Amino acid sequence: MSAAPTTPELDLSWLDLYDDPTSAEPTKKGLTLDAIDIGDYASAEDLPRDMTPRLRGAASRENAHRMGLTYQTKHDVWADQCRSLYEEAIQRQWSSARDIPWDTLAELPDEKERAICQVATMLTEVEFIAGDVPGQWLPRISGDEFEVGLFLMTQIMDEARHTDVFRKRALANGGGLLQQGAGLGLRNLIEAQDFTEMSVLMHVQAEGFVQSMFRMGELIGPTQADKRIFRMAAQDESRHLAFGVMHLKHILSETPERREEIHHYLDKAEERSAGGGSGDVTFPPVFESLCILLGGGKDRFDEGVAKFLLLRRRQVKEYLHRLEVAGLGDRSERLGPALAQYAN
């Protein structure tokens, strides 16, 4: 017979770990992340970091294993208000199955149906990558800044829903998935080697361009279902964009010497693609589709082109404004040629 298992000696030392017992109190919004950011558990710049999965405030353990390299300063990943953005994200989730009025889809002229399906095809690709990218950075975020990780997890869920809803739209009304997008700018996001590089290119540049387009959903969407899709997706993109602007503002405040480095990331991205990581809307199938939708048909293509140019100018103007608000300064004289033509 095998020997009976050995019972370890009782060790209750963990009962004495808390020098300052804490009782967080709910606010009017409930027990939020801000409400539990108190005492020894509050966020701070000079916390001891050990690259283990220990979250901020937990007692460290001498033999805990490292889990790989993580950022060792708060400002490398932090964004003010990231906690409130997380709270908003979990409260404003929506379902592509239930919250889109699919019954309002109606038979459209073939050119319009194919046009909205081409735009949806491009967006499924863009949004899939936009969910993939933040997932690559989660292992490198310290447990001391776990709120950033929580927010990025909500972004992944948002982008999954966007991929889902645009794919459904392409398949729901007699159309289908059409031409794959150019995808040049998407590589900039995947290849980013620094968190700030990734955030500036994805959250500020790419999501900013997408947000400007989503906000024109009333003009682009040929049915009430399409308009609702753009409206709901824009709601989510606003959070991602806000995180990026606030992170950029924080990093420039804490490490202003990185300003030229960040400009260089944008130089490279603007030179590589006219659409940033949002997918190149000047790619012929996407450009022509948007012009058909904006103009109201092939026979009004010129009117659509005029509105498309307004969209591009709006995208670039809002992009420059966000960079300036974040503290990067006026970038209008430094824009890549593909974007500079729309700056005036």
Side-chain angles (χ1 to χ4, degrees):
M1 296 180 61
S2 59
T6 303
T7 302
E9 293 185 13
L10 194 63
D11 177 11
L12 298 178
S13 59
W14 55 271
L15 288 172
D16 300 320
L17 290 177
Y18 303 105
D19 297 326
D20 183 21
T22 303
S23 295
E25 296 184 3
T27 67
K28 292 181 179 179
K29 296 181 179 180
L31 193 61
T32 63
L33 290 180
D34 280 329
I36 64 171
D37 191 55
I38 56 177
D40 292 338
Y41 307 96
S43 177
E45 186 64 56
D46 56 351
L47 294 170
R49 298 160 195 272
D50 52 20
M51 299 189 193
T52 72
R54 178 183 61 84
L55 266 63
R56 186 176 70 239
S60 61
R61 182 166 53 84
E62 290 183 355
N63 61 348
H65 293 187
R66 289 190 173 196
M67 299 295 286
L69 296 176
T70 59
Y71 282 102
Q72 294 296 290
T73 57
K74 176 181 176 179
H75 61 252
D76 279 322
V77 299
W78 190 253
D80 293 337
Q81 304 302 317
C82 68
R83 288 190 287 265
S84 61
L85 289 173
Y86 167 78
E87 300 289 354
E88 179 187 323
I90 60 176
Q91 292 167 16
R92 302 190 72 178
Q93 294 294 301
W94 52 278
S95 165
S96 66
R98 298 190 309 269
D99 297 325
I100 303 301
W102 295 110
D103 59 343
T104 66
L105 288 175
E107 185 175 352
L108 297 171
D110 189 58
E111 65 203 53
K112 287 188 178 181
E113 181 61 35
R114 289 178 181 270
I116 192 67
C117 287
Q118 177 61 68
V119 172
T121 301
M122 180 268 289
L123 288 171
T124 59
E125 180 180 347
V126 168
E127 301 296 74
F128 186 76
I129 295 296
D132 191 25
V133 170
Q136 296 177 325
W137 292 91
L138 287 173
R140 298 178 64 179
I141 296 172
S142 168
D144 290 302
E145 281 73 59
F146 70 91
E147 297 99 328
V148 174
L150 291 180
F151 173 76
L152 292 180
M153 292 178 206
T154 68
Q155 180 184 345
I156 294 169
M157 185 63 232
D158 290 343
E159 307 295 9
R161 186 168 55 250
H162 298 174
T163 302
D164 159 28
V165 77
F166 286 114
R167 185 177 182 87
K168 286 176 178 175
R169 175 57 187 91
L171 303 178
N173 200 38
L177 293 169
L178 298 179
Q179 180 67 58
Q180 177 184 7
L184 297 177
L186 299 177
R187 289 196 60 173
N188 295 329
L189 310 183
I190 294 291
E191 294 173 354
Q193 297 297 304
D194 175 76
F195 185 87
T196 296
E197 177 186 7
M198 176 277 295
S199 183
V200 168
L201 297 185
M202 181 173 70
H203 294 128
V204 181
Q205 186 190 71
E207 305 246 27
F209 282 132
V210 168
Q211 171 73 328
S212 297
M213 184 170 68
F214 283 174
R215 283 165 50 192
M216 292 190 72
E218 293 296 321
L219 294 175
I220 298 172
T223 71
Q224 288 304 311
D226 294 307
K227 296 179 193 299
R228 176 71 66 83
I229 289 170
F230 285 122
R231 195 178 306 131
M232 300 299 282
Q235 167 187 295
D236 297 336
E237 297 291 345
S238 293
R239 290 191 297 273
H240 313 160
L241 180 55
F243 176 89
V245 171
M246 287 189 286
H247 170 67
L248 179 56
K249 188 172 185 177
H250 185 84
I251 203 80
L252 289 170
S253 173
E254 296 295 322
T255 54
E257 66 274 11
R258 295 191 65 184
R259 184 180 308 275
E260 183 57 29
E261 171 198 343
I262 293 166
H263 270 299
H264 182 67
Y265 294 144
L266 295 171
D267 290 341
K268 183 174 64 173
E270 290 169 10
E271 180 181 357
R272 193 169 191 175
S273 171
S278 63
D280 190 350
V281 294
T282 63
F283 180 57
V286 177
F287 162 70
E288 292 168 4
S289 295
L290 286 171
C291 290
I292 288 172
L293 293 170
L294 289 167
K298 285 192 300 184
D299 58 340
R300 301 174 65 181
F301 194 81
D302 289 346
E303 183 179 339
V305 171
K307 290 182 178 179
F308 174 83
L309 293 176
L310 290 176
L311 166 63
R312 289 298 280 161
R313 291 191 182 98
R314 179 175 179 174
Q315 285 180 317
V316 173
K317 181 179 179 180
E318 291 179 347
Y319 167 58
L320 292 172
H321 177 68
R322 290 167 188 136
L323 293 175
E324 192 163 0
V325 166
L328 195 63
D330 182 5
R331 189 175 161 77
S332 58
E333 298 300 320
R334 192 165 174 167
L335 274 177
L339 297 181
Q341 60 184 313
Y342 303 107
N344 299 317

